[in-house]
Amino acid sequence: MFESGELRLVLLKLIEEQPRHGYDLIREIENRSGGAYAPSPGVVYPTMTLLLDMGLAEEETSEGPRKLLAITDAGRAHLAERAGEVETAMARLSALAKVSERTDAAPVRRAMQNLKAALQDRLSADGVTRDVQLEVARIIDEAASRIERL
């Protein structure tokens, strides 16, 4: 989703808007992408630690066990120096949301999940032959062609 260093800039931009904890950062990115992308905790939390280590963010006292990050003056300067990169990364999230809005209708998602389940069930059954695999591929190809002609 992001090029090298862009997630760091996106997280920093989001904590510039308001202090946030990791889960909030993940949800905010998911919201801004229209639900199409949510970074994993395994990427977000180490990046938060990097922001702290670089002096671009600082931990703010908060209620509960969650680490709340706030931007530092150095973080603001870092964002200003890389304003073009920040704008590009944030625009990518907005563009993804627009695509998601056009293509992510609930009935289509349900049908795609249904197809996925049917494929897994049928193709993982004992005794699936090459002929069955080819027939499944033919049916999917036919469905794709019909969708393209809509």
Side-chain angles (χ1 to χ4, degrees), residues 32-78:
R32 291 185 187 210
S33 72
Y37 173 71
S40 74
V43 173
V44 170
Y45 287 99
T47 304
M48 290 171 63
T49 300
L50 179 62
L51 292 172
L52 291 168
D53 291 347
M54 293 174 72
L56 303 177
E58 61 189 2
E59 202 170 330
E60 210 173 74
T61 56
S62 64
E63 295 177 17
R66 292 184 176 160
K67 187 185 293 187
L68 193 63
L69 294 190
I71 195 165
T72 62
D73 289 337
R76 284 186 189 84
H78 187 74

Side-chain angles (χ1 to χ4, degrees), residues 55-119:
L56 303 177
E58 61 189 2
E59 202 170 330
E60 210 173 74
T61 56
S62 64
E63 295 177 17
R66 292 184 176 160
K67 187 185 293 187
L68 193 63
L69 294 190
I71 195 165
T72 62
D73 289 337
R76 284 186 189 84
H78 187 74
L79 285 178
E81 291 169 7
R82 293 180 167 74
E85 294 172 68
V86 173
E87 186 177 326
T88 298
M90 298 305 283
R92 191 174 298 125
L93 284 176
S94 296
L96 190 56
K98 289 177 185 172
V99 168
S100 180
E101 185 178 301
R102 289 191 310 266
T103 62
D104 199 20
V108 173
R109 282 195 317 272
R110 182 212 42 84
M112 289 172 54
Q113 290 300 322
N114 190 30
L115 174 61
K116 180 180 175 182
L119 288 169

